[in-house]
mmCIF file of all heavy atoms in Angstrom:
data_model
loop_
_atom_site.group_PDB
_atom_site.id
_atom_site.type_symbol
_atom_site.label_atom_id
_atom_site.label_comp_id
_atom_site.label_asym_id
_atom_site.label_seq_id
_atom_site.Cartn_x
_atom_site.Cartn_y
_atom_site.Cartn_z
ATOM 1 N N ARG C 31 134.792 182.654 85.806
ATOM 2 C CA ARG C 31 135.008 183.080 87.155
ATOM 3 C C ARG C 31 136.578 183.166 87.382
ATOM 4 O O ARG C 31 137.267 182.261 86.947
ATOM 5 C CB ARG C 31 134.410 182.250 88.243
ATOM 6 C CG ARG C 31 132.905 182.444 88.385
ATOM 7 C CD ARG C 31 132.592 183.885 88.880
ATOM 8 N NE ARG C 31 131.325 184.156 89.024
ATOM 9 C CZ ARG C 31 130.809 185.346 89.129
ATOM 10 N NH1 ARG C 31 131.549 186.450 89.020
ATOM 11 N NH2 ARG C 31 129.556 185.539 89.201
ATOM 12 N N THR C 32 136.979 184.246 87.974
ATOM 13 C CA THR C 32 138.379 184.332 88.291
ATOM 14 C C THR C 32 138.523 184.572 89.912
ATOM 15 O O THR C 32 137.589 184.574 90.617
ATOM 16 C CB THR C 32 139.053 185.567 87.625
ATOM 17 O OG1 THR C 32 138.328 186.758 87.937
ATOM 18 C CG2 THR C 32 139.091 185.434 86.204
ATOM 19 N N SER C 33 139.900 184.524 90.302
ATOM 20 C CA SER C 33 140.114 184.527 91.786
ATOM 21 C C SER C 33 139.562 185.836 92.534
ATOM 22 O O SER C 33 139.434 185.837 93.760
ATOM 23 C CB SER C 33 141.517 184.399 92.095
ATOM 24 O OG SER C 33 142.251 185.523 91.401
ATOM 25 N N ASN C 34 139.093 186.839 91.794
ATOM 26 C CA ASN C 34 138.618 188.025 92.584
ATOM 27 C C ASN C 34 137.208 187.925 92.920
ATOM 28 O O ASN C 34 136.563 188.933 93.411
ATOM 29 C CB ASN C 34 138.900 189.312 91.721
ATOM 30 C CG ASN C 34 138.046 189.337 90.382
ATOM 31 O OD1 ASN C 34 137.745 188.392 90.013
ATOM 32 N ND2 ASN C 34 138.127 190.541 89.841
ATOM 33 N N HIS C 35 136.496 186.912 92.637
ATOM 34 C CA HIS C 35 135.145 186.803 93.015
ATOM 35 C C HIS C 35 135.076 185.770 94.409
ATOM 36 O O HIS C 35 135.816 185.011 94.682
ATOM 37 C CB HIS C 35 134.340 185.989 91.935
ATOM 38 C CG HIS C 35 134.179 186.839 90.748
ATOM 39 N ND1 HIS C 35 135.129 186.991 89.796
ATOM 40 C CD2 HIS C 35 133.058 187.655 90.362
ATOM 41 C CE1 HIS C 35 134.689 187.863 88.872
ATOM 42 N NE2 HIS C 35 133.446 188.246 89.291
ATOM 43 N N THR C 36 134.026 186.125 95.046
ATOM 44 C CA THR C 36 133.921 185.332 96.368
ATOM 45 C C THR C 36 133.350 184.017 96.161
ATOM 46 O O THR C 36 132.825 183.503 95.136
ATOM 47 C CB THR C 36 132.752 186.003 97.265
ATOM 48 O OG1 THR C 36 131.550 185.955 96.690
ATOM 49 C CG2 THR C 36 133.165 187.571 97.489
ATOM 50 N N ASP C 37 133.581 183.066 97.076
ATOM 51 C CA ASP C 37 133.041 181.696 97.045
ATOM 52 C C ASP C 37 131.486 181.677 96.913
ATOM 53 O O ASP C 37 130.996 180.896 96.151
ATOM 54 C CB ASP C 37 133.517 181.014 98.296
ATOM 55 C CG ASP C 37 134.894 180.680 98.480
ATOM 56 O OD1 ASP C 37 135.715 180.737 97.370
ATOM 57 O OD2 ASP C 37 135.453 180.359 99.448
ATOM 58 N N GLY C 38 130.884 182.698 97.582
ATOM 59 C CA GLY C 38 129.432 182.721 97.424
ATOM 60 C C GLY C 38 129.099 182.938 95.916
ATOM 61 O O GLY C 38 128.060 182.435 95.490
ATOM 62 N N ASP C 39 129.737 183.850 95.254
ATOM 63 C CA ASP C 39 129.501 184.167 93.801
ATOM 64 C C ASP C 39 129.684 182.804 93.038
ATOM 65 O O ASP C 39 128.774 182.508 92.102
ATOM 66 C CB ASP C 39 130.446 185.206 93.230
ATOM 67 C CG ASP C 39 130.140 186.599 93.632
ATOM 68 O OD1 ASP C 39 128.988 186.802 94.134
ATOM 69 O OD2 ASP C 39 131.110 187.355 93.655
ATOM 70 N N ILE C 40 130.665 182.019 93.288
ATOM 71 C CA ILE C 40 131.022 180.948 92.561
ATOM 72 C C ILE C 40 129.869 179.893 92.767
ATOM 73 O O ILE C 40 129.449 179.204 91.865
ATOM 74 C CB ILE C 40 132.499 180.441 92.849
ATOM 75 C CG1 ILE C 40 133.416 181.420 92.321
ATOM 76 C CG2 ILE C 40 132.635 178.998 92.239
ATOM 77 C CD1 ILE C 40 134.941 181.024 92.850
ATOM 78 N N VAL C 41 129.605 179.602 94.069
ATOM 79 C CA VAL C 41 128.517 178.577 94.326
ATOM 80 C C VAL C 41 127.208 179.156 93.692
ATOM 81 O O VAL C 41 126.550 178.189 93.118
ATOM 82 C CB VAL C 41 128.422 178.524 95.950
ATOM 83 C CG1 VAL C 41 127.109 177.672 96.244
ATOM 84 C CG2 VAL C 41 129.669 177.917 96.394
ATOM 85 N N ARG C 42 126.867 180.297 93.740
ATOM 86 C CA ARG C 42 125.582 180.798 93.232
ATOM 87 C C ARG C 42 125.632 180.506 91.677
ATOM 88 O O ARG C 42 124.652 179.943 91.093
ATOM 89 C CB ARG C 42 125.382 182.291 93.400
ATOM 90 C CG ARG C 42 124.081 182.735 92.870
ATOM 91 C CD ARG C 42 123.860 184.228 92.962
ATOM 92 N NE ARG C 42 124.678 184.849 91.960
ATOM 93 C CZ ARG C 42 125.775 185.681 92.332
ATOM 94 N NH1 ARG C 42 125.990 186.004 93.491
ATOM 95 N NH2 ARG C 42 126.506 186.021 91.270
ATOM 96 N N ASP C 43 126.768 180.821 90.998
ATOM 97 C CA ASP C 43 126.861 180.616 89.607
ATOM 98 C C ASP C 43 126.833 179.130 89.264
ATOM 99 O O ASP C 43 126.024 178.693 88.369
ATOM 100 C CB ASP C 43 128.179 181.054 89.052
ATOM 101 C CG ASP C 43 128.351 182.683 89.011
ATOM 102 O OD1 ASP C 43 127.241 183.292 89.137
ATOM 103 O OD2 ASP C 43 129.357 183.103 88.802
ATOM 104 N N PHE C 44 127.493 178.221 90.064
ATOM 105 C CA PHE C 44 127.329 176.829 89.822
ATOM 106 C C PHE C 44 125.943 176.349 90.095
ATOM 107 O O PHE C 44 125.463 175.506 89.114
ATOM 108 C CB PHE C 44 128.358 176.058 90.871
ATOM 109 C CG PHE C 44 128.217 174.588 90.550
ATOM 110 C CD1 PHE C 44 128.866 173.958 89.583
ATOM 111 C CD2 PHE C 44 127.398 173.908 91.488
ATOM 112 C CE1 PHE C 44 128.631 172.694 89.299
ATOM 113 C CE2 PHE C 44 127.253 172.412 91.237
ATOM 114 C CZ PHE C 44 127.811 171.792 90.222
ATOM 115 N N LEU C 45 125.204 176.715 91.024
ATOM 116 C CA LEU C 45 123.791 176.287 91.246
ATOM 117 C C LEU C 45 122.998 176.765 90.039
ATOM 118 O O LEU C 45 122.032 176.019 89.598
ATOM 119 C CB LEU C 45 123.317 176.740 92.499
ATOM 120 C CG LEU C 45 123.980 176.120 93.829
ATOM 121 C CD1 LEU C 45 123.403 176.867 95.099
ATOM 122 C CD2 LEU C 45 123.756 174.639 93.911
ATOM 123 N N SER C 46 123.188 178.008 89.492
ATOM 124 C CA SER C 46 122.381 178.525 88.391
ATOM 125 C C SER C 46 122.631 177.624 87.206
ATOM 126 O O SER C 46 121.767 177.301 86.435
ATOM 127 C CB SER C 46 122.894 179.923 88.036
ATOM 128 O OG SER C 46 122.537 180.725 89.201
ATOM 129 N N ILE C 47 123.963 177.344 86.990
ATOM 130 C CA ILE C 47 124.385 176.523 85.746
ATOM 131 C C ILE C 47 123.806 175.099 85.865
ATOM 132 O O ILE C 47 123.392 174.421 84.944
ATOM 133 C CB ILE C 47 125.870 176.671 85.495
ATOM 134 C CG1 ILE C 47 126.256 177.938 85.071
ATOM 135 C CG2 ILE C 47 126.261 175.596 84.418
ATOM 136 C CD1 ILE C 47 127.695 178.257 85.088
ATOM 137 N N ALA C 48 123.861 174.613 87.082
ATOM 138 C CA ALA C 48 123.233 173.182 87.429
ATOM 139 C C ALA C 48 121.831 173.102 86.959
ATOM 140 O O ALA C 48 121.427 172.056 86.388
ATOM 141 C CB ALA C 48 123.436 172.875 88.970
ATOM 142 N N ASP C 49 121.070 174.233 87.122
ATOM 143 C CA ASP C 49 119.692 174.230 86.575
ATOM 144 C C ASP C 49 119.716 174.010 85.127
ATOM 145 O O ASP C 49 118.789 173.220 84.634
ATOM 146 C CB ASP C 49 119.076 175.551 86.982
ATOM 147 C CG ASP C 49 118.584 175.645 88.330
ATOM 148 O OD1 ASP C 49 118.591 174.605 89.106
ATOM 149 O OD2 ASP C 49 118.253 176.824 88.889
ATOM 150 N N LEU C 50 120.580 174.542 84.421
ATOM 151 C CA LEU C 50 120.658 174.436 83.003
ATOM 152 C C LEU C 50 120.962 172.924 82.629
ATOM 153 O O LEU C 50 120.464 172.387 81.687
ATOM 154 C CB LEU C 50 121.680 175.285 82.384
ATOM 155 C CG LEU C 50 121.447 176.864 82.364
ATOM 156 C CD1 LEU C 50 122.706 177.660 81.875
ATOM 157 C CD2 LEU C 50 120.273 177.047 81.345
ATOM 158 N N LEU C 51 121.758 172.331 83.469
ATOM 159 C CA LEU C 51 122.115 170.979 83.128
ATOM 160 C C LEU C 51 121.062 169.949 83.514
ATOM 161 O O LEU C 51 121.080 168.835 83.130
ATOM 162 C CB LEU C 51 123.427 170.575 83.841
ATOM 163 C CG LEU C 51 124.622 171.511 83.378
ATOM 164 C CD1 LEU C 51 125.968 171.049 84.146
ATOM 165 C CD2 LEU C 51 124.837 171.341 81.952
ATOM 166 N N GLU C 52 120.175 170.302 84.514
ATOM 167 C CA GLU C 52 119.111 169.530 84.914
ATOM 168 C C GLU C 52 117.776 169.673 84.020
ATOM 169 O O GLU C 52 116.976 168.738 84.138
ATOM 170 C CB GLU C 52 118.752 169.837 86.463
ATOM 171 C CG GLU C 52 119.776 169.332 87.312
ATOM 172 C CD GLU C 52 120.009 167.758 87.387
ATOM 173 O OE1 GLU C 52 119.026 167.083 87.336
ATOM 174 O OE2 GLU C 52 121.165 167.381 87.422
ATOM 175 N N GLU C 53 117.724 170.788 83.441
ATOM 176 C CA GLU C 53 116.291 171.094 82.627
ATOM 177 C C GLU C 53 116.659 171.299 81.239
ATOM 178 O O GLU C 53 117.039 172.453 80.904
ATOM 179 C CB GLU C 53 115.567 172.202 83.329
ATOM 180 C CG GLU C 53 115.246 171.945 84.755
ATOM 181 C CD GLU C 53 114.337 173.195 85.472
ATOM 182 O OE1 GLU C 53 113.413 173.592 84.617
ATOM 183 O OE2 GLU C 53 114.736 173.747 86.432
ATOM 184 N N PRO C 54 116.376 170.320 80.501
ATOM 185 C CA PRO C 54 116.774 170.397 79.095
ATOM 186 C C PRO C 54 116.127 171.615 78.349
ATOM 187 O O PRO C 54 116.673 172.270 77.538
ATOM 188 C CB PRO C 54 116.212 169.102 78.437
ATOM 189 C CG PRO C 54 116.247 168.089 79.635
ATOM 190 C CD PRO C 54 115.926 168.979 80.724
ATOM 191 N N GLN C 55 114.889 172.092 78.770
ATOM 192 C CA GLN C 55 114.225 173.230 77.974
ATOM 193 C C GLN C 55 114.963 174.488 78.365
ATOM 194 O O GLN C 55 115.181 175.352 77.546
ATOM 195 C CB GLN C 55 112.700 173.390 78.415
ATOM 196 C CG GLN C 55 111.875 172.335 77.601
ATOM 197 C CD GLN C 55 110.386 172.663 77.822
ATOM 198 O OE1 GLN C 55 109.928 172.795 78.906
ATOM 199 N NE2 GLN C 55 109.780 172.822 76.712
ATOM 200 N N LEU C 56 115.493 174.654 79.695
ATOM 201 C CA LEU C 56 116.297 175.795 79.933
ATOM 202 C C LEU C 56 117.533 175.831 79.223
ATOM 203 O O LEU C 56 118.066 176.829 78.671
ATOM 204 C CB LEU C 56 116.638 175.824 81.527
ATOM 205 C CG LEU C 56 115.479 176.278 82.435
ATOM 206 C CD1 LEU C 56 115.901 176.195 83.823
ATOM 207 C CD2 LEU C 56 115.056 177.711 82.036
ATOM 208 N N ALA C 57 118.201 174.587 79.085
ATOM 209 C CA ALA C 57 119.503 174.408 78.262
ATOM 210 C C ALA C 57 119.136 174.787 76.924
ATOM 211 O O ALA C 57 120.043 175.475 76.167
ATOM 212 C CB ALA C 57 120.007 173.045 78.476
ATOM 213 N N GLN C 58 118.066 174.348 76.314
ATOM 214 C CA GLN C 58 117.682 174.671 74.933
ATOM 215 C C GLN C 58 117.488 176.069 74.694
ATOM 216 O O GLN C 58 118.032 176.581 73.701
ATOM 217 C CB GLN C 58 116.417 173.871 74.485
ATOM 218 C CG GLN C 58 116.236 173.788 73.076
ATOM 219 C CD GLN C 58 114.832 173.009 72.861
ATOM 220 O OE1 GLN C 58 113.958 172.964 73.627
ATOM 221 N NE2 GLN C 58 114.898 172.162 71.933
ATOM 222 N N LEU C 59 116.746 176.868 75.523
ATOM 223 C CA LEU C 59 116.670 178.283 75.523
ATOM 224 C C LEU C 59 118.084 179.021 75.621
ATOM 225 O O LEU C 59 118.215 179.898 74.734
ATOM 226 C CB LEU C 59 115.695 178.650 76.511
ATOM 227 C CG LEU C 59 115.540 180.219 76.681
ATOM 228 C CD1 LEU C 59 115.103 180.963 75.377
ATOM 229 C CD2 LEU C 59 114.541 180.652 77.819
#
Side-chain angles (χ1 to χ4, degrees):
R31 284 291 179 204
T32 57
S33 58
N34 64 344
H35 289 85
T36 68
D37 289 342
D39 289 340
I40 294 168
V41 169
R42 187 190 68 243
D43 288 349
F44 176 74
L45 293 174
S46 298
I47 293 167
D49 284 345
L50 289 173
L51 300 177
E52 290 293 320
E53 296 185 51
Q55 282 191 310
L56 283 179
Q58 193 178 41
L59 173 55

